[in-house]
């Protein structure tokens, strides 16, 4: 008689497992996130004494036999190749995550078609749309190739079988939340379905030397719907983020077993699909009006510098508690910067609403954005605009000091390229005369925003 799979409970937020259900996850503190999880029989533990000894091989020996080398499938979309570290590695498992409607299916279809026409057979499996719908979109985007097959299926077992028989170069699974395997009885999209399906598909792909791209939707909070543990099962995790109603979409690797995670690709959604943006700074600044509350921040997107406009609006609070909202910037960080401004400079913001907007759907997460945001608030509060040909970058400490930031030379180069006359930043050891040195927030405000 077949042994029944062991049942355990897994937190969908952090992936911690428990033998009993509880209302609160002890590990991450989230409520009602524990769901039933059946371990598949395929992953049961081996008994001791059953294994055989593994061979010791040095790195040199391995690279000599060619085992360590992996060929890459070039997508010929240079930003995607850069983010992946040179293309999709053969037999690798790649997860692309993003909010619904951000453009995952579109980007993956472009990648699939490109690989089909250069490397060989590609199978696009859609569990969300019919084959006709997908084919219609592909032909509208001008992406047709005899090597590109499209099927509609939600059965993990069927897909795994197809991978083993057909041995395509690449298989796309859109999306993993719609896949289900017969061995697991829980509902489609549940933790056990998602992890077991990924497991089965991964095994089939590794066995036949097929690369996999798995699409995964994320929840509003930005975590992968389904367990965090999906990230551990795959080789590469890419994130496609941005504003779904316009603006740039940014592709980033958050995990990459075959390359760095420092590159980022910048795309724009057009009627011809996602198009790479070659000069993002220029298009981000194209509609800029130099008014108070507008500051140009020399940001880094991966290893690439990009100039972003940060806007602030400061209004007297009408009633009660002052409002603070931020789009494209962390709200906690905004509160911290407001506190620093109030305490370390003469600016009193206690009775003022503050709104921050980062133009173009860009999300700023690096600490180097602090100075630009603080200056935008000060500029808006005082009604004085900064010189139009000055860009800003710097991190702020709690005592209002401006701290060093990385990649200062790249930022300077981008600022120069776009015709600015200077960069207000901490010197960071760079001797460039282009840098207007900033040491403390108070001194910066006195120099640039004092009424004449
Ligand atoms: P889609 O790739 O289906 O998003 P996801 O798979 O991440 O859910 O597409 C997202 C949106 O992009 C869709 O609502 C319509 C728009 N779009 C275009 O503007 N141009 C195009 O060429 C395509 C294919 C989609
Ligand atoms: Mg889709």
């Amino acid at each position: 008689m077949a042994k029944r799979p062991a049942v355990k409970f897994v937190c969908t937020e952090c992936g911690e497992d428990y033998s009993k259900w509880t209302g609160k996850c002890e590990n991450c503190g989230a409520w009602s996130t524990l769901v039933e999880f059946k371990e598949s029989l395929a992953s049961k533990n081996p008994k001791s004494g059953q294994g055989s000894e593994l061979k010791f091989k040095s790195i040199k020996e391995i690279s000599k036999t060619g085992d360590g080398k992996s060929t890459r499938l070039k997508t010929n979309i240079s930003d995607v190749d850069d983010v992946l570290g040179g293309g999709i590695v053969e037999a690798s498992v790649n997860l692309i995550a993003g909010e619904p409607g951000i453009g995952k299916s579109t980007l993956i279809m472009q990648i699939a078609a490109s690989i089909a026409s250069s490397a060989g057979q590609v199978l696009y499996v859609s569990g969300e749309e019919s084959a006709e719908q997908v084919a219609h979109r592909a032909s509208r985007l001008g992406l047709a190739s005899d090597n590109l097959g499209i099927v509609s299926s939600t059965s993990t077992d069927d897909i795994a079988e197809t991978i083993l028989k057909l041995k395509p170069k690449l298989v796309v699974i859109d999306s993993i939340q719609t896949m289900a395997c017969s061995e697991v009885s829980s509902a489609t999209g549940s933790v056990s379905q998602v992890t077991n399906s990924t497991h089965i598909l991964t095994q089939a792909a590794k066995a036949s030397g097929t690369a996999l791209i798995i699409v995964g939707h994320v929840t509003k909070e930005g975590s992968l719907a389904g367990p965090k543990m999906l990230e551990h099962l795959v080789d590469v995790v890419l994130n496609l983020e941005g504003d779904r109603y316009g603006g740039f979409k940014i592709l980033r690797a958050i995990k990459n077993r075959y390359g760095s995670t420092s590159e980022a690709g910048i795309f724009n959604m057009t009627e011809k699909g996602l198009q790479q943006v070659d000069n993002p700074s220029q298009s981000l600044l194209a509609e800029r009006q130099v008014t108070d509350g507008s500051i140009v921040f020399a940001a880094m997107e991966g290893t690439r510098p990009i100039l972003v406009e940060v806007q602030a609006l400061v209004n007297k609070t009408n009633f009660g508690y002052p409002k603070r909202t931020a789009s494209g910037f962390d709200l906690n960080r905004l509160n911290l910067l407001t506190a620093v401004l109030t305490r370390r400079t003469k600016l009193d913001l206690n009775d003022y609403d503050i709104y921050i907007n980062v133009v173009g759907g860009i999300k700023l997460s690096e600490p180097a954005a602090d100075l630009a945001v603080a200056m935008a608030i000060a500029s808006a509060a005082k009604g004085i605009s900064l010189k139009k040909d000055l860009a800003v970058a710097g991190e702020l400490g709690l005592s209002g000091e401006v701290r060093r930031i990385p990649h200062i030379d790249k930022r300077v180069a981008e600022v120069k390229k776009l015709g600015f006359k200077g960069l207000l930043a901490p010197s960071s050891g760079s001797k460039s005369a282009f840098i207007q040195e900033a040491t403390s927030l108070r001194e910066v405000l006195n120099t640039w925003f004092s009424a004449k």
Side-chain angles (χ1 to χ4, degrees), residues 106 110 140-141 247 249 267-277:
T106 311
Q110 288 171 265
R140 200 173 50 75
L141 294 176
K249 316 278 186 275
F267 299 89
N268 215 350
M269 183 61 93
T270 69
E271 64 282 359
K272 282 268 153 242
L274 278 172
Q275 300 286 328
Q276 202 165 302
V277 181

Side-chain angles (χ1 to χ4, degrees), residues 40 75 97 159 184 320 368 450:
S40 94
T75 66
I159 300 166
V184 178
S450 52

Side-chain angles (χ1 to χ4, degrees), residues 371 393-395 402-405 408 424-428 435 437-438:
L371 185 60
E395 181 181 345
V402 182
R403 313 194 71 117
R404 285 173 171 233
I405 49 170
I408 191 81
L424 185 61
S427 73
S428 298
I435 295 182
E437 200 176 335

Side-chain angles (χ1 to χ4, degrees), residues 323-325 329-340:
K323 214 184 190 141
R324 308 276 144 89
T325 53
F329 191 72
D330 180 44
L331 188 59
N332 288 329
R333 195 80 192 164
L334 170 60
N335 284 329
L336 184 144
L337 293 177
T338 310
V340 172

Side-chain angles (χ1 to χ4, degrees), residues 7-22 24-30 32-37 191 195 226-230 232:
V7 176
K8 57 181 181 179
F9 296 89
V10 175
C11 172
T12 52
E13 289 294 316
C14 66
E16 183 73 7
D17 55 20
Y18 299 87
S19 56
K20 271 200 205 128
W21 191 87
T22 57
K24 184 184 179 187
C25 172
E26 294 296 331
N27 187 43
C28 68
S32 314
T33 52
L34 259 57
V35 291
E36 190 180 323
F37 174 74
V191 193
T195 44
K228 251 302 200 216
M229 63 173 81
L230 203 55
H232 306 301

Side-chain angles (χ1 to χ4, degrees), residues 40 42 91-95 123 125 153-164 168 171-181 193-215 230 233-234:
S40 94
S92 66
V93 182
N94 307 270
L95 176 70
L123 183 65
V125 185
S153 167
T154 55
S155 159
T156 310
D157 307 297
D158 292 357
I159 300 166
E161 187 65 25
T162 315
I163 294 176
L164 290 171
V171 170
V172 173
I173 310 289
D174 186 4
S175 64
I176 192 67
Q177 275 95 358
T178 59
M179 299 298 154
C181 52
Q193 284 293 10
V194 168
T195 44
N196 278 300
S197 293
T198 308
H199 205 75
I200 292 171
L201 292 170
T202 304
Q203 281 179 338
K206 299 269 180 207
S208 62
T210 299
L212 265 189
I213 297 183
I214 296 174
V215 175
L230 203 55
L233 294 180
V234 300

